[in-house]
Amino acid sequence: MDITSPVDLAAALRDVGYLPDEGIATAAFLALKMQRPLFCEGEPGTGKTALAMALARALDVPLVRLQCHEGIDASQALYDWDFPRQLLHLRALESGGGPVDDTELYSERFLIARPLLQALRQAPCVLLVDEIDRADDEFEAFLLEVLAENKVSIPELGEIRAEVPPLVVLTSNRTREVHDALKRRCLYHWLEHPDLEREVAIVHEHLPEAPETLVSQVAQASRTLRTLDLLKPPGVAETLDWTAALTALGRTSLDVQSAAATLGAVLKYREDNDKVIKSGLDALLFG
Amino acid sequence: MTASQAAPAPRQTSEQPAQPVLGLLGFVRVLRAAGVAADAGRGLAFVAAVSELSAASPDQVYWAGRITLCSQPDDLPRYDAAFLAWFGATTARSATSEELVSLPSVSASLTGPHPQTGADTEEAEQLSTAASAEERLRHKDFSELSAAEREHLRSLLTALRYRPATRRAVRRRPARRGSVDPRATVRSMLQAGGEVARPLMHRRSRRPRRLVLLVDVSGSMTPYADALLRFAHVLTTAAPATVETFTLGTRLTRLTRALRHRDAEVALRLSAAAVPDYAGGTRLGETLKVFTDRWGQRGMARGAVVVVFSDGWERGGAELLGEQVGRLARLSRAVVWVNPHVGRAGYEPVQSGIVAALPHLHELVSGHSLEALDELLEVVAGA
């Protein structure tokens, strides 16, 4: 499929069940056209990771995911050698009395490709670098180098370069400020919670069996919850969970009793629970 | 695109006739003046992005600019305002909260005029030898320093040694004792051509814990603010990656970036410019809540040592403050409260704020003098 405008990309994303707003569609379109990584920030549950997954499906390319964590390093992100297999190979050669060849030991056969190398090799693909804010500064610098060059060099094998650069989506929850050098390389998009109409559409998309009245009532209630200054305001995922829970109970509309029984699907802190109960479920549902 | 009143006449370029590149770059300049760090590279990306889209649609120009020129949520309200001012177009606007808008900052000198300045010369005479002066200074309350002593204190502060608290790291490092490292062992066997080698060991190393400093800069803390921010600067230069500093007052201000400047004077000047509520009122509970919501809970306070410098005078409800300190205590490794008045004779923790916070604290220390700050560092290292 040929994508020539954000509208095309939005349609392609919609076809795979991701409903983007104009900002998301434009950001992803520009990332694609300008071949720049897209840096997505936003509250948890606004669809940052889902965007990368949907892009892979919409563009019909593989998704390679690199989950970042504290202490992640090049051998976990790029490549590593399979030492035990090399050793076995060496033993086998020796017992057979054959000559030992170094180049064979450090060949494709014993190379373990980690996500970044996989992405460079499989390109075109979507590379999701999830929660980059959890990695250390040094890892950011390393990542920057790989993304800037779209190649890696492995001393024993030589250079591996991506013909087409992968479409890179980085996500961050802002637990830490990501280095400016990395951000400068990227396009930046701040994701908001979807508006009511889009949230209703998203729930319909994922839970087609949920009754229409219920879906719009739950989406509206989630929106109200987001204004209550909670420790963890519900994201789209929570709206989905809540709707699913109510549907499983056979409800067709949201009432105080069933809302109270299923509040655990939306609120993840006791303090939030108390606050909502105190401010009155009636107000939340019908206010 | 809506023609701008202030935009220079568009220049015709060969590839993109009638593309008002200059108008776009003019907007970038305006945006920079509004405080968004949009450098030349970002400006070029903006022009490139517009050329990928339809320059006739204000919405598309809006998004192209937002995606290429902004780099943090704080930029968004400024971007929206600048966009409206330059292009005059109303577009799909982000519903960014009011709270994100940074108020214009007020420059305030962090070294306020001091009542004892007049006694300078007399006091200077009393400082007979440098050594005894230093010893005196170590124990003297920051609020009672003369201008000369203040000057001296600055150099003494830089001599403080920061030893961060540590935690066990996830990764292991080669070590002489510990558990067998299979990968390294096999690799070394491989190097030896497959010969059985001595097993190599590894063990978990230790990594520094993050240190979060929350400095109350409200009116009642003014005599201490300068020394405390300098203290924060000393710690930041010692371990730039793991020390974070915020000021509390009527609002929360992040000073980490300003304090990372190596030069103490530059760092302090930047800090002064960044703190709009210096020597103002306090809403400790509310500002702490902003910290925990926006930073703490997302990870900054997790496993960290949090140090709150405040006298605990809370104008708002102490209940909220207690709640927030409790939250911080649950998120972090330890919450250490530094109250300069603790060092005074006959101090009783009776301020409503302190009383509410007390049950959640790892330790309550004084931090009113150099000696006391040294003790604080001991507490932090042991947390």
Side-chain angles (χ1 to χ4, degrees), chain A residues 179-254:
Chain A
H179 206 283
D180 226 27
L182 181 61
K183 278 188 163 182
R184 207 173 294 139
R185 209 22 245 143
C186 303
L187 299 173
Y188 177 81
H189 188 56
W190 173 263
L191 280 87
E192 299 282 347
H193 286 296
D195 56 28
L196 180 63
E197 198 186 331
R198 196 159 77 86
E199 188 156 11
V200 168
I202 292 170
V203 178
H204 273 311
E205 185 70 38
H206 285 83
L207 301 167
E209 73 282 5
E212 199 133 332
T213 345
L214 181 69
V215 172
S216 46
Q217 280 174 335
V218 170
Q220 184 58 56
S222 285
R223 289 180 69 74
T224 315
L225 284 174
R226 281 175 204 144
T227 62
L228 283 188
D229 190 25
L230 300 176
L231 295 180
K232 167 74 184 79
V236 179
E238 278 74 25
T239 312
L240 280 169
D241 285 349
W242 201 8
T243 317
L246 288 159
T247 315
L249 291 176
R251 308 288 162 167
T252 51
S253 71
L254 190 60

Side-chain angles (χ1 to χ4, degrees), chain A residues 26-72:
Chain A
T26 313
F29 173 77
L30 287 176
L32 199 61
K33 288 293 159 187
M34 296 168 73
Q35 303 198 335
R36 289 247 214 156
L38 178 61
F39 191 97
C40 291
E41 275 188 333
E43 299 296 330
T46 43
K48 303 180 291 288
T49 304
L51 171 63
M53 295 175 164
L55 277 170
R57 268 177 288 137
L59 302 170
D60 197 21
V61 293
L63 173 79
V64 181
R65 179 174 183 159
L66 175 64
Q67 175 70 48
C68 298
H69 54 82
E70 212 167 11
I72 189 172

Side-chain angles (χ1 to χ4, degrees), chain A residues 51-260:
Chain A
L51 171 63
M53 295 175 164
L55 277 170
R57 268 177 288 137
L59 302 170
D60 197 21
V61 293
L63 173 79
V64 181
R65 179 174 183 159
L66 175 64
Q67 175 70 48
C68 298
H69 54 82
E70 212 167 11
I72 189 172
D73 64 8
S75 70
Q76 289 159 326
L78 201 53
Y79 71 91
D80 207 352
W81 293 103
D82 191 342
F83 294 112
R85 279 193 64 206
Q86 283 174 317
L87 197 64
L88 276 176
H89 179 69
L90 195 61
R91 290 284 181 166
L93 281 182
E94 273 178 356
S95 62
V100 178
D101 185 3
D102 236 27
T103 53
E104 200 182 337
L105 269 184
Y106 288 95
S107 64
E108 250 346 295
R109 255 181 91 183
F110 302 105
L111 186 71
I112 306 171
R114 306 278 192 216
L116 286 181
L117 183 59
Q118 283 172 24
L120 290 179
R121 277 181 167 173
Q122 286 185 21
C125 67
V126 173
L127 169 63
L128 167 62
V129 181
D130 217 5
E131 302 189 321
I132 177 72
D133 51 334
R134 289 203 191 182
D136 312 308
D137 288 7
E138 305 91 73
F139 184 73
E140 268 174 41
F142 159 76
L143 190 64
L144 179 67
E145 198 184 309
V146 176
L147 294 185
E149 307 267 317
N150 279 309
K151 67 164 193 203
V152 293
S153 54
I154 300 173
E156 297 89 348
L157 276 186
E159 213 167 74
I160 295 179
R161 178 188 293 274
E163 291 301 318
V164 195
L167 174 59
V168 185
V169 178
L170 301 110
T171 75
S172 156
N173 286 326
R174 289 207 100 208
T175 61
R176 179 176 74 81
E177 203 76 66
V178 170
H179 206 283
D180 226 27
L182 181 61
K183 278 188 163 182
R184 207 173 294 139
R185 209 22 245 143
C186 303
L187 299 173
Y188 177 81
H189 188 56
W190 173 263
L191 280 87
E192 299 282 347
H193 286 296
D195 56 28
L196 180 63
E197 198 186 331
R198 196 159 77 86
E199 188 156 11
V200 168
I202 292 170
V203 178
H204 273 311
E205 185 70 38
H206 285 83
L207 301 167
E209 73 282 5
E212 199 133 332
T213 345
L214 181 69
V215 172
S216 46
Q217 280 174 335
V218 170
Q220 184 58 56
S222 285
R223 289 180 69 74
T224 315
L225 284 174
R226 281 175 204 144
T227 62
L228 283 188
D229 190 25
L230 300 176
L231 295 180
K232 167 74 184 79
V236 179
E238 278 74 25
T239 312
L240 280 169
D241 285 349
W242 201 8
T243 317
L246 288 159
T247 315
L249 291 176
R251 308 288 162 167
T252 51
S253 71
L254 190 60
D255 55 71
V256 174
Q257 197 200 349
S258 50

Side-chain angles (χ1 to χ4, degrees), chain B residues 1-252:
Chain B
M1 182 193 306
T2 326
S4 154
Q5 320 84 311
R11 187 172 56 183
Q12 307 270 323
T13 60
S14 50
E15 308 131 83
Q16 296 156 329
Q19 170 78 283
V21 173
L22 288 178
L24 296 181
L25 291 180
F27 170 60
V28 177
R29 223 168 34 235
V30 168
L31 197 61
R32 223 166 11 231
V36 175
D39 58 16
R42 287 204 169 107
L44 290 178
F46 174 42
V47 175
V50 170
S51 72
E52 293 283 353
L53 300 166
S54 158
S57 151
D59 268 4
Q60 296 208 347
V61 175
Y62 169 84
W63 285 113
R66 200 180 119 165
I67 290 157
T68 49
L69 299 171
C70 297
S71 61
Q72 51 177 351
D74 290 359
D75 289 346
L76 304 181
R78 293 181 197 152
Y79 177 83
D80 285 353
F83 190 85
L84 190 65
W86 185 258
F87 294 109
T90 40
T91 61
R93 197 94 343 153
S94 66
T96 30
S97 60
E98 179 85 347
E99 191 203 336
L100 287 176
V101 185
S102 289
L103 298 167
S105 54
V106 182
S107 282
S109 162
L110 289 170
T111 36
H114 203 270
Q116 291 185 1
T117 333
D120 258 358
T121 42
E122 268 178 63
E123 292 223 14
E125 282 165 16
Q126 287 172 12
L127 305 173
S128 47
T129 69
S132 73
E134 192 176 316
E135 197 45 38
R136 264 165 43 102
L137 205 51
R138 285 191 68 79
H139 297 279
K140 202 161 178 184
D141 193 300
F142 293 143
S143 63
E144 293 159 9
L145 298 184
S146 69
E149 284 174 324
R150 237 160 232 286
E151 207 55 53
H152 190 184
L153 175 78
R154 288 178 190 177
S155 58
L156 290 184
L157 271 173
T158 57
L160 286 177
R161 255 188 62 244
Y162 168 50
R163 285 179 299 121
T166 57
R167 60 170 176 82
R168 256 158 65 101
V170 179
R171 293 179 58 204
R172 292 162 206 268
R173 284 177 192 256
R176 213 173 302 181
R177 281 189 282 175
S179 54
V180 175
D181 180 352
R183 295 194 72 80
T185 307
V186 175
R187 196 175 349 169
S188 80
M189 286 166 70
L190 200 58
Q191 270 160 11
E195 286 305 310
V196 179
R198 256 177 84 98
L200 293 170
M201 307 296 203
H202 63 178
R203 74 196 317 181
R204 286 182 194 274
S205 57
R206 299 196 70 85
R207 287 181 58 101
R209 284 183 184 277
R210 192 177 289 116
L211 176 66
V212 180
L213 306 170
L214 303 172
V215 185
D216 182 347
V217 291
S218 62
S220 55
M221 285 290 284
T222 315
Y224 299 96
D226 179 66
L228 292 180
L229 288 179
R230 281 175 192 277
F231 176 64
H233 178 253
V234 171
L235 302 193
T236 309
T237 34
T242 54
V243 178
E244 292 277 347
T245 308
F246 293 80
T247 57
L248 310 172
T250 52
R251 43 169 289 149
L252 180 82

